[in-house]
């Protein structure tokens, strides 16, 4: 088996968007093309009994939203494609930010009627900070929406991208006739009943051909010719290198629900998207085709299978090959571990793999050895840079509602925090536990999972905190001791034992900074997560 060839056929990407833009539906349809599933189930609440393959937590099925990142893989045209389907809901943004450390490129899904939404802006900003190649997919064209050119302008202005359309819609909503594929020079006609199967395309190398009128009608044909002329006049030509460097973003149009425009996206994607890319460790730049294995944990998911108490650590392989039953160095703990049943994913289906290559994601059964950001290597001491913890927006005391289950509650909280669902702060004064989250919905998820996965019940009490600030003091000087004495009821320790100041208001934060200038307060923890 040719090692470099194997790595070259890997494509690992994330799908990101604002909630409800059709991200999970697009994932499903990509799996349909890859022959990985026979029938797609939309992610709508209770409308369709078959729920989406990538949403496998009960709470997701009830709400019709994705709350955990799922990993799906399939083979298409001899490429091995790994998709990371991320939660769009802003309450789960941290999970998505972390997932973006594990992808080589992304597809951004935009709703044709709503255009660019706030959550999309944040996520694209993270991608641009890391120069991740981006493809834009404008979805739901079978519904009435904004004009195609207006949408392209909005994407350029709000997301700061330089776009070039590689397909273009013929009509929209009720008048939606199909899509002209600029990249392959053919037309895909829309019949409206293709949810389950895959449409045929008609090749049109020459747009002046009068056959075009017969196929789509004379008015739409005329509009299409005008639009395409405008496209070639206004937008830059597609340049592969500019796309790979993160400086040019191709745009596709389609309707994921109706399975329309998805094949064009996928065909172009496997051709242009990057194979696994080098990654910077603190020590050096690591190339994917190095012989020695290295990888990092970007997500931990407890109880993937409710029947078995298991935790899976998701590891992105950065270099070399990962082999079953081979001892690898856990860099943080400085000990060797070996794994007898590493998993490859296909949503709910997991299979044990003997060997995985750079670019792949493997799931390792974990008994509590891993934290997010941990590095595994063949022996070299490498540390991959993670994403820091951000200060949460919401804070609540967590109380045990069933004294008989204190042990289960503590274990549950511990494991969920390892997963990075939320952050735990323990007050210095009385040892009470405070949970900080990015969004309020996470409290429901924590409560639900504690009850259903650990058999523990909890209640919450509000705890008025404006911001969590990590405390950085050069030395235990008098000022620092004074700060600790005066602010003791606002001090807590995070999971890593770092001191955190929980400021109750913006004013008190400002006053504290003025009064104790030598005490440095930071809004992010630099402990890699």
């Amino acid at each position: 088996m040719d090692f470099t060839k194997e790595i070259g056929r890997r494509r690992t990407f994330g799908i990101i968007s604002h909630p409800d833009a059709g991200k999970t539906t697009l994932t499903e349809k990509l799996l349909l093309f890859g022959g990985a599933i026979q029938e797609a189930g939309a992610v709508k609440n209770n409308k369709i009994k078959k729920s989406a393959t990538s949403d496998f937590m009960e709470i997701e099925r009830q709400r019709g939203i994705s709350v955990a990142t799922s990993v799906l893989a399939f083979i298409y045209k001899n490429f091995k494609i790994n998709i990371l389907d991320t939660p769009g809901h802003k309450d789960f943004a941290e999970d998505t930010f972390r997932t973006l450390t594990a992808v080589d490129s992304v597809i951004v899904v935009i709703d044709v009627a709503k255009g660019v939404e706030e959550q999309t802006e944040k996520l694209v900003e993270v991608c641009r900070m890391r120069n991740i190649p981006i493809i834009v997919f404008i979805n739901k064209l079978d519904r009435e929406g904004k004009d195609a050119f207006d949408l392209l302008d909005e994407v350029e202005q709000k997301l700061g991208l330089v776009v070039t359309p590689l397909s273009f819609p013929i009509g929209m909503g009720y008048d939606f006739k199909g899509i002209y594929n600029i990249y392959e020079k053919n037309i895909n006609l829309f019949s409206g009943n293709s949810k389950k199967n895959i449409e045929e395309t008609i090749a049109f190398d020459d747009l002046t051909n009068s056959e075009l009128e017969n196929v789509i009608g004379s008015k739409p044909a005329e509009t299409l010719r005008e639009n395409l002329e405008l496209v070639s006049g206004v937008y830059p030509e597609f340049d592969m290198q500019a796309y790979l460097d993160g400086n040019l973003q191709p745009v596709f149009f389609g309707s994921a629900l109706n399975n329309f425009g998805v094949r064009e996206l996928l065909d172009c994607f496997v051709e242009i998207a990057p194979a696994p890319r080098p990654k910077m460790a603190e020590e050096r730049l690591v190339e994917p085709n190095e012989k020695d294995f290295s990888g990092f944990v970007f997500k931990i998911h407890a109880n993937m299978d409710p029947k078995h108490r298991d935790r899976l650590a998701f590891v992105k392989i950065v270099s070399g090959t990962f082999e079953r039953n081979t001892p690898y160095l856990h860099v943080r703990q400085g000990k060797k571990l070996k794994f007898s049943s590493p998993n490859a994913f296909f949503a709910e289906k997991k299979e044990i793999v003997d060997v995985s290559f750079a670019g792949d994601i493997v799931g390792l059964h974990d008994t509590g050895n891993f934290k997010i950001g941990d590095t595994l290597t063949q022996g070299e001491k490498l540390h991959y840079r993670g994403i820091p913890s951000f200060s949460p927006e919401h804070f609540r005391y967590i109380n045990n509602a069933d004294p008989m289950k204190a042990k289960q509650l503590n274990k549950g909280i511990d494991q969920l925090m390892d997963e990075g669902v939320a952050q735990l702060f323990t007050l210095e004064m009385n040892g009470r536990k405070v949970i900080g989250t990015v969004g309020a919905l996470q409290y429901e998820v924590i409560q639900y999972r504690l009850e259903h996965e650990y058999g523990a019940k909890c209640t919450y009490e509000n705890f008025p905190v404006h911001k969590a600030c990590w405390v950085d003091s050069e030395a235990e000087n008098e000022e620092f001791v004074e700060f600790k004495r005066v602010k003791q009821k606002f001090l807590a320790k995070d999971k890593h034992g770092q001191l955190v100041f929980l400021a109750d208001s913006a004013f008190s934060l400002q006053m504290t900074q003025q009064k104790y200038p030598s005490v440095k307060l930071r809004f992010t923890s630099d402990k890699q997560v």
Side-chain angles (χ1 to χ4, degrees):
M1 191 154 48
D2 183 351
F3 163 69
T4 352
K5 204 162 157 189
E6 276 301 319
I7 293 175
R9 55 186 277 262
R10 298 294 190 270
R11 297 284 181 274
T12 304
F13 70 101
I15 300 189
I16 58 176
S17 79
H18 197 80
D20 256 5
K23 190 171 56 247
T24 306
T25 312
L26 176 62
T27 309
E28 286 270 305
K29 294 308 159 71
L30 293 172
L31 293 176
L32 193 64
F33 280 103
I37 50 176
Q38 264 50 64
E39 173 193 354
V43 198
K44 285 286 169 279
N45 244 340
N46 305 330
K47 282 189 195 160
I48 298 179
K49 283 290 165 268
K50 182 180 180 324
S51 68
T53 312
S54 60
D55 287 2
F56 50 76
M57 256 163 73
E58 195 52 42
I59 199 161
E60 306 188 12
R61 295 210 170 105
Q62 291 172 2
R63 291 274 185 121
I65 57 168
S66 304
V67 296
T69 306
S70 38
V71 180
L72 307 136
F74 63 95
I75 305 283
Y76 182 74
K77 292 188 168 177
N78 202 28
F79 285 96
K80 162 94 189 287
I81 296 177
N82 300 306
I83 305 180
L84 299 177
D85 178 24
T86 60
H89 205 287
K90 75 167 184 303
D91 288 6
F92 303 97
E94 276 209 38
D95 197 24
T96 306
F97 290 153
R98 283 197 287 263
T99 302
L100 289 175
T101 59
V103 301
D104 298 307
S105 65
V106 299
I107 292 180
V108 177
V109 184
I110 289 173
D111 182 319
V112 69
K114 297 179 184 155
V116 175
E117 296 170 272
E118 154 208 34
Q119 194 55 23
T120 321
E121 293 185 43
K122 281 194 190 144
L123 293 167
V124 168
E125 202 179 314
V126 175
C127 295
R128 295 195 56 221
M129 271 163 32
R130 300 185 47 238
N131 289 337
I132 301 176
I134 297 172
I135 293 180
V136 179
F137 182 69
I138 294 180
N139 192 17
K140 304 190 182 180
L141 279 198
D142 50 318
R143 302 189 184 173
E144 296 298 324
K146 301 182 177 182
D147 171 76
F149 286 110
D150 291 348
L151 273 166
L152 292 168
D153 283 351
E154 194 175 315
V155 169
E156 290 210 312
Q157 282 157 11
K158 284 196 177 169
L159 301 179
L161 302 179
V162 179
V163 300
T164 178
L166 291 187
S167 75
F168 207 82
I170 306 168
M172 193 175 288
Y174 289 118
D175 310 325
F176 183 53
K177 292 276 189 292
I179 283 168
Y180 181 73
N181 185 341
I182 299 173
Y183 190 67
E184 290 175 12
K185 296 193 169 46
N186 59 30
I187 280 181
N188 190 354
L189 292 180
F190 179 63
S191 62
N193 59 3
S194 56
K195 287 187 189 180
K196 294 280 162 52
N197 38 32
I198 292 159
E199 298 273 291
E200 292 305 304
T201 52
I202 305 162
F204 263 100
D205 294 337
D206 180 13
L207 281 177
T208 53
N209 189 335
S210 58
E211 190 54 33
L212 186 62
E213 270 81 351
N214 303 340
V215 176
I216 60 174
S218 57
K219 187 85 185 90
E222 190 186 324
T223 314
L224 174 66
R225 289 185 184 117
E226 285 170 8
N227 285 344
L228 290 174
E229 206 170 304
L230 244 173
V231 166
S232 65
V234 174
Y235 296 100
E237 261 190 55
F238 176 67
D239 173 330
M240 180 96 156
Q241 200 48 52
Y243 155 71
L244 291 173
D245 295 341
N247 297 328
L248 182 69
Q249 287 75 27
V251 180
F252 286 87
F253 290 84
S255 158
L257 185 65
N258 287 304
N259 210 351
F260 200 78
V262 178
R263 188 192 63 77
E264 287 79 347
L265 172 72
L266 187 56
D267 283 351
C268 176
F269 174 82
V270 292
E271 245 177 78
I272 68 171
R277 305 168 76 193
K279 189 167 173 66
M280 196 67 206
E282 279 173 27
E283 294 73 8
R284 63 185 185 83
L285 185 68
V286 180
E287 297 285 345
N289 52 8
E290 290 180 18
K291 218 171 62 267
D292 287 350
F293 158 78
S294 70
F296 64 95
V297 177
F298 68 92
K299 176 184 173 59
I300 292 171
H301 201 332
N303 309 321
M304 296 272 290
D305 179 349
K307 294 196 245 348
H308 305 284
R309 280 273 172 267
D310 65 343
R311 272 171 50 138
L312 268 188
F314 289 74
V315 173
K316 160 78 187 270
I317 302 176
V318 178
S319 65
T321 53
F322 177 90
E323 292 177 29
R324 186 176 158 193
N325 284 327
T326 305
Y328 292 116
L329 175 69
H330 183 318
V331 175
R332 180 174 55 85
Q333 292 186 344
K335 64 179 186 186
K336 293 237 167 169
L337 301 173
K338 65 179 183 180
F339 305 91
S340 56
S341 52
N343 289 137
F345 298 95
F346 165 70
E348 284 173 308
K349 299 188 189 69
K350 297 189 300 228
E351 40 195 68
I352 290 175
V353 282
D354 289 321
V355 57
S356 300
F357 295 86
D360 283 337
I361 309 286
V362 287
L364 305 179
H365 289 279
D366 176 30
T367 50
N369 285 312
F370 287 117
K371 289 183 175 170
I372 286 170
D374 277 349
T375 305
L376 274 176
T377 69
Q378 203 113 12
E380 188 181 350
K381 288 194 166 55
L382 290 172
H383 297 84
Y384 286 111
R385 298 201 175 117
I387 287 179
S389 299
F390 300 96
S391 170
E393 309 283 315
H394 304 259
F395 298 84
R396 292 182 193 172
Y397 285 121
I398 181 164
N399 301 320
N400 185 0
D402 180 351
M404 305 295 287
K405 297 282 176 72
K407 202 168 149 201
Q408 286 89 325
L409 181 74
N410 287 336
K411 182 181 174 192
I413 292 174
D414 235 30
Q415 294 204 348
L416 291 177
M417 298 305 132
D418 274 351
E419 260 184 63
V421 174
Q423 292 180 55
L424 180 68
F425 301 103
T426 308
L427 292 181
E428 290 273 81
M429 207 169 70
N430 52 16
R432 282 193 78 178
K433 289 184 162 55
V434 172
I435 285 187
T437 66
V438 177
L441 186 60
Q442 262 150 319
Y443 290 110
E444 276 181 56
V445 172
I446 292 169
Q447 201 164 23
Y448 181 92
R449 291 186 61 191
L450 283 171
E451 189 173 337
H452 289 81
E453 295 171 16
Y454 299 92
K457 289 196 161 94
C458 71
T459 57
Y460 297 114
E461 262 177 74
N462 265 343
F463 181 48
V465 172
H466 163 65
K467 268 263 190 288
C469 314
W470 280 267
V471 181
D472 219 5
S473 174
E474 310 301 291
E476 292 270 337
N477 56 16
E478 277 174 41
E479 197 174 288
F480 185 63
V481 174
E482 172 71 4
F483 161 76
K484 279 186 21 180
R485 188 182 63 76
V486 173
K487 297 292 181 188
Q488 64 172 344
K489 63 183 242 239
F490 300 106
L491 294 180
K493 286 270 171 67
D494 72 1
K495 234 183 117 184
H496 303 289
Q498 297 185 105
L499 190 63
V500 180
F501 169 52
L502 301 171
D504 54 346
S505 69
F507 175 70
S508 103
L509 179 60
Q510 203 182 346
M511 294 311 291
T512 307
Q513 284 172 315
Q514 281 172 10
K515 198 169 166 193
Y516 308 106
S518 74
V519 177
K520 300 268 186 300
L521 300 175
R522 287 176 314 179
F523 297 119
T524 57
S525 144
D526 55 1
K527 273 278 187 216
Q528 297 299 316
V529 302

